Amino acid sequence: MADPRLTKSRFVAGWQCQKLLWWTEHEPDATELVPDKVLQDRFDQGRHVTELARLTFPGATLIPPGTDSARIEATKLALDFGAPAILEAAFAADGVFVAIDALAREGDGFALVEVKSATSAKDEHVPDVAVQAWVARQNGINVRRTEVMHLNTDFRHPDTGNLFAHTDVTAQVEEFLPRVPPLIAEFKASMAGPIPEIAIGLHCHEPRTCPFYDRCWPDDPWHISMLYRTGPKGTDTYFRQGVHSIRDLPPGQKLPAIARRQIKALETGKMIVEPTLKAALRDAMGDARVGFLDFETVNRAVPVWNALGPWRAAVVQFSYHEEAGGNKHTHLAYLAEGPHDPQAELSERMLEATKGVEKILMYTPYEHTQIKQLAERVPSMASDLKALAAKLVDMAPLLREHVYHPGFNGSFSIKDVLNPLVPDLSYNDLAIVDGMVASVEIARLLFVAHKVKDRDQLRNDLLDYCERDTWAMVRLLGRLREIAA
Ligand code: SF4
């Protein structure tokens, strides 16, 4: 059997996990490998960043798409013609094909540049760059230096600072290079053999969550990864101690009060309500009339509105419910339209909507952070926005510190707590059920509306999603008051 073909992305997949690599090779059509809307948006933004990075190499030759051999041949020609830089420079060695973002002449050799849409160089970039440098050197290219060209956090739209920053990774790459040939051999053998036995662990989360996560990890509320605030690193530590289930925890294990409440709820199968809930609700809101606020934001790799930096969130939508006496509530919403900066208009509408209340509930401090940033970006309304921020009360701690339902599965995200506490309400009837998807869809609606088939429908779906977030808070507060009483 011929050696399986490796590319730099497969090399990186193998570096994360050989089972992931094996599935990528043997099940290329697996549904898990089809990018979802959020990942596709990340790829699209990455492509845009690469296109802008290319403009910083004047006189460069871009190797066009085509077969591996045609691209390799075109690269040879560009080298022979003495191109100052070659973009998508293609090489192969030992069955590994790579296309280098930029190979720029420097003295008697070349700098190998890997373009990333991240805002810094990361450890995970080192094997990625190392395999490219190794293949290029096998082809006689004198790679003198390697760097990651990434977005610069200090850049502000439209033209404050440079959009790109450069981090030299030569030392780390040179240190990694001797590992490349044995890793190539290992990955090829692994791809050609039966599915490798790989235990779950930290590598399932790092450098990114594995697409096959749900195939490998158990769906078990008692699994140790479900323990409140354990996280990937904590789970890995427990695994090393032989603890895989919450039931395996040694007696006397030091745990946060919330995790202890979780275990008690799992053992009894019942919701735990601390007697402190009533006082906490009174302290948080007293007898004030309450509003409920939720934002949706867009995050663009390359910022498009004034004073924004790469990947900085900008508020573009809000939903606001307000108590109106009895069981009645009013509702107001805003969703930006068109590609212009909506933050001043949004601030004005939000200030108008919320002017009559003393307390406004948010779920997690996200809205507080965003309003503080709005105050910087819309200085004419800064004092009113700061006054609004002072009215905000985070609802999440009211649940976290005082209530645990076995259905929470160790999470206090609004989507995880809503259905266990308010069984007649969920997000399942909505077309959009996730904040990240909402963010990507809003960006489509604002910036590439011509590509959206049914704009009115998408707009309504987005309005429904954000409204559900604040309505969920209304219902959760009602339920908390009920159980506290
Ligand atoms: S979930 Fe973990 S063990 Fe399973 S393929 Fe992915 S990285 Fe490997």
Side-chain angles (χ1 to χ4, degrees):
M1 181 184 163
D3 266 356
R5 177 179 176 274
L6 271 175
T7 57
K8 70 167 183 163
S9 56
R10 287 206 174 172
F11 183 87
V12 170
W15 175 247
Q16 178 167 0
C17 171
Q18 291 185 30
K19 202 180 205 176
L20 161 63
L21 174 64
W22 194 93
W23 269 325
T24 308
E25 165 73 6
H26 292 269
E27 292 188 37
D29 299 326
T31 49
E32 290 94 333
L33 293 174
V34 178
D36 60 15
K37 281 185 175 165
V38 175
L39 190 58
Q40 189 57 54
D41 177 69
R42 185 94 200 184
F43 289 159
D44 293 345
Q45 296 210 59
R47 251 194 304 278
H48 181 44
V49 169
T50 302
E51 278 161 15
L52 292 176
R54 285 175 182 165
L55 302 176
T56 67
F57 296 91
T61 300
L62 173 64
I63 304 302
T67 61
D68 290 1
S69 53
R71 293 164 77 185
I72 291 168
E73 204 47 45
T75 303
K76 274 190 195 139
L77 277 174
L79 284 166
D80 291 347
F81 275 102
I86 303 170
L87 308 172
E88 296 297 314
F91 301 98
D94 198 14
V96 187
F97 174 84
V98 297
I100 298 166
D101 286 336
L103 197 58
R105 280 186 200 275
E106 270 189 13
D108 61 351
F110 291 87
L112 187 160
V113 181
E114 170 70 9
V115 179
K116 295 287 182 198
S117 59
T119 50
S120 62
K122 299 185 166 70
D123 290 348
E124 74 200 57
H125 299 150
V126 172
D128 184 344
V129 177
V131 70
Q132 298 176 57
W134 184 84
V135 172
R137 281 185 182 163
Q138 293 300 108
N139 282 272
I141 303 296
N142 176 16
V143 177
R144 302 179 61 201
R145 208 171 60 75
T146 51
E147 71 166 51
V148 175
M149 182 176 180
H150 51 84
L151 293 170
N152 175 11
T153 44
D154 293 333
F155 173 79
R156 291 292 175 271
H157 184 85
D159 53 10
T160 306
N162 290 323
L163 177 60
F164 289 103
H166 304 258
T167 301
D168 192 293
V169 290
T170 309
Q172 299 94 306
V173 166
E174 293 299 334
E175 196 184 323
F176 192 91
L177 270 166
R179 301 167 72 180
V180 171
L183 282 172
I184 290 172
E186 194 180 323
F187 294 164
K188 282 193 207 163
S190 170
M191 285 157 82
I195 185 164
E197 295 275 333
I198 307 278
I200 53 173
L202 196 54
H203 57 276
C204 305
H205 302 269
E206 294 181 353
R208 58 193 55 80
T209 303
C210 174
F212 295 106
Y213 189 93
D214 289 344
R215 285 196 194 185
C216 296
W217 284 70
D219 179 15
D220 171 10
W222 283 90
H223 192 262
I224 194 66
S225 59
M226 294 292 197
L227 187 64
Y228 173 71
R229 283 243 167 111
T230 296
K233 287 202 167 75
T235 300
D236 194 57
T237 306
Y238 277 126
F239 282 175
R240 285 166 201 276
Q241 296 164 358
V243 175
H244 292 263
S245 165
I246 292 172
R247 293 187 178 97
D248 299 338
L249 284 167
Q253 170 83 32
K254 255 183 113 183
L255 291 172
I258 299 165
R260 288 202 304 275
R261 198 176 299 129
Q262 176 186 3
I263 296 173
K264 197 167 149 194
L266 278 172
E267 283 168 349
T268 59
K270 287 189 179 142
M271 178 165 70
I272 312 285
V273 182
E274 299 296 337
T276 46
L277 175 63
K278 198 171 185 173
L281 284 169
R282 195 180 50 236
D283 292 350
M285 279 157 297
D287 295 325
R289 187 149 58 99
V290 178
F292 305 80
L293 183 64
D294 184 72
F295 287 159
E296 303 303 330
T297 55
V298 290
N299 313 51
R300 298 288 88 189
V302 180
V304 288
W305 295 325
N306 276 351
L308 278 177
W311 290 115
R312 293 286 285 270
V315 187
V316 289
Q317 180 178 10
F318 74 76
S319 168
Y320 179 70
H321 274 95
E322 189 176 298
E323 291 178 336
N327 271 338
K328 295 203 171 61
H329 294 83
T330 55
H331 179 250
L332 285 162
Y334 174 90
L335 172 56
E337 258 183 288
H340 62 274
D341 184 350
Q343 293 178 91
E345 186 180 72
L346 177 143
S347 300
E348 200 179 330
R349 298 271 192 93
M350 177 172 61
L351 289 168
E352 179 63 26
T354 57
K355 67 181 180 202
V357 285
E358 295 159 55
K359 298 284 181 192
I360 300 171
L361 285 182
M362 56 186 172
Y363 202 90
T364 77
Y366 189 67
E367 279 65 28
H368 191 267
T369 311
Q370 291 305 322
I371 290 177
K372 279 203 325 206
Q373 288 183 10
L374 274 175
E376 284 170 25
R377 291 175 196 152
V378 191
S380 61
M381 293 176 220
S383 61
D384 288 342
L385 286 165
K386 284 178 190 160
L388 170 58
K391 295 180 186 176
L392 291 170
V393 176
D394 185 359
M395 191 177 184
L398 291 171
L399 277 121
R400 209 166 46 224
E401 306 295 334
H402 310 280
V403 181
Y404 192 91
H405 187 288
F408 290 176
N409 285 332
S411 162
F412 288 89
S413 96
I414 194 161
K415 294 187 180 69
D416 289 322
V417 301
L418 179 63
N419 201 243
L421 291 182
V422 186
D424 67 56
L425 191 64
S426 75
Y427 287 73
N428 295 340
D429 57 316
L430 300 180
I432 294 171
V433 296
D434 176 273
M436 305 260 280
V437 173
S439 174
V440 165
E441 291 289 40
I442 297 172
R444 270 195 335 126
L445 198 59
L446 298 187
F447 306 121
V448 285
H450 60 283
K451 291 189 183 167
V452 178
K453 252 197 225 148
D454 190 339
R455 276 178 248 172
D456 290 340
Q457 183 61 52
L458 180 55
R459 218 181 137 74
N460 286 338
D461 292 343
L462 287 162
L463 288 165
D464 286 348
Y465 172 72
C466 199
E467 180 174 356
R468 182 62 52 90
D469 274 338
T470 45
W471 185 242
M473 288 158 67
V474 169
R475 295 290 309 276
L476 281 170
L477 180 63
R479 180 77 176 122
L480 287 181
R481 283 175 168 153
E482 200 179 288
I483 57 184

